[in-house]
Amino acid sequence: MALTLFDLDNTLLSGDSDHAWMKFLGSRGIVDAECFNRRNDQFYADYMAGTLDIQAFLNFQLTPLAAHPRAQLNAWHREYLQEWVLPMISERARALVEDHRRQGDLLVIITATNRFVTAPIAEELGIAHLLATEPEETATGEFTGQTVGIPCFQAGKVQRLRDWLQIQGLDWESALQNSTFYSDSHNDLPLLETVTHPVAVDPDPRLRALAEARGWPILSLRRAPALEEHA
């Protein structure tokens, strides 16, 4: 069975789900829009530049989760999914997932964004396996504002995948023999360099340059042509 891994933000989604979640909260007056948008935009710029302090970002992003009851958060997320996320999912992205599903691949979304934001999106895409940054929960399912385990970010994605495969009873070396990872970001280079078939999807400038230099496929899920030609 082939192992097919998908990054989520700016890969399967034509946008960033955690950045959009904070924008959504600001648009509803749930957080101070001016303050949160300014910090949100700075963290996003840091991510694009490869300088993100992941723990500082998670402290920022998870604060609203700890401030509200889970039932209310779930209700807000349903609105967010319909109004903000669904327009980010292109038909080409859905078709790519379905193509791998028809081939019988083991499909996994692997994302730095926390599970609360991403689990309903993975469900919408019909992908049962999700590796995400894990927000800590109380025994009653409320959020504490803290995280559990290794953030699923940069080299953390490789470790999280290794741990998950072991839990699934799958051998690391065997699983990687026929493995594909789709990503847009140079932050995902540790995992892109681990799989046998790295694919750059609407890549940022640094990943595009590297993909072109190494002859990796460059795919667009947003516009034609779907597969770009490169040297």
Side-chain angles (χ1 to χ4, degrees), residues 6-9 16-18 47 108-115 117-119 122 130-134 150-154 157 160 181 188 191:
F6 300 97
D7 178 47
L8 184 64
D9 298 315
D16 187 284
S17 61
D18 52 4
Y47 173 80
V108 182
I109 289 176
I110 185 163
T111 175
T113 302
N114 71 76
R115 179 174 293 273
V117 169
T118 57
L130 170 67
L131 300 181
T133 297
E134 298 291 345
I150 301 170
C152 198
F153 178 64
Q154 293 183 340
K157 284 192 175 183
R160 290 288 306 280
F181 179 36
D188 282 336
L191 186 51

Side-chain angles (χ1 to χ4, degrees), residues 36-97:
F36 271 74
N37 285 346
R38 182 169 62 250
R39 294 189 65 198
N40 196 28
D41 290 345
Q42 184 57 60
F43 279 124
Y44 187 67
D46 292 346
Y47 173 80
M48 296 300 290
T51 60
L52 179 67
D53 180 335
I54 186 61
Q55 197 56 58
F57 171 68
L58 290 172
N59 290 342
F60 163 74
Q61 192 194 45
L62 297 179
T63 295
L65 299 189
H68 300 282
R70 184 65 177 269
Q72 179 63 78
L73 291 167
N74 290 343
W76 284 332
H77 196 292
R78 287 191 290 271
E79 296 177 27
Y80 160 73
L81 181 69
Q82 291 296 319
E83 298 173 17
W84 291 63
V85 176
L86 293 186
M88 295 185 194
I89 306 176
S90 71
E91 289 305 313
R92 184 169 290 146
R94 291 186 185 275
L96 177 66
V97 171

Side-chain angles (χ1 to χ4, degrees), residues 1-6 96-110 125-131 164 182:
M1 179 183 297
L3 174 64
T4 299
L5 309 166
F6 300 97
L96 177 66
V97 171
E98 290 308 311
D99 182 56
H100 282 284
R101 196 191 318 280
R102 283 194 299 270
Q103 294 177 51
D105 295 359
L106 177 59
L107 307 183
V108 182
I109 289 176
I110 185 163
L125 290 164
I127 298 178
H129 302 295
L130 170 67
L131 300 181
W164 181 80
Y182 293 92

Side-chain angles (χ1 to χ4, degrees), residues 11 13 22 38 81 101 144 177:
T11 302
L13 298 183
M22 299 304 286
R38 182 169 62 250
L81 181 69
R101 196 191 318 280
T144 68
Q177 285 180 1

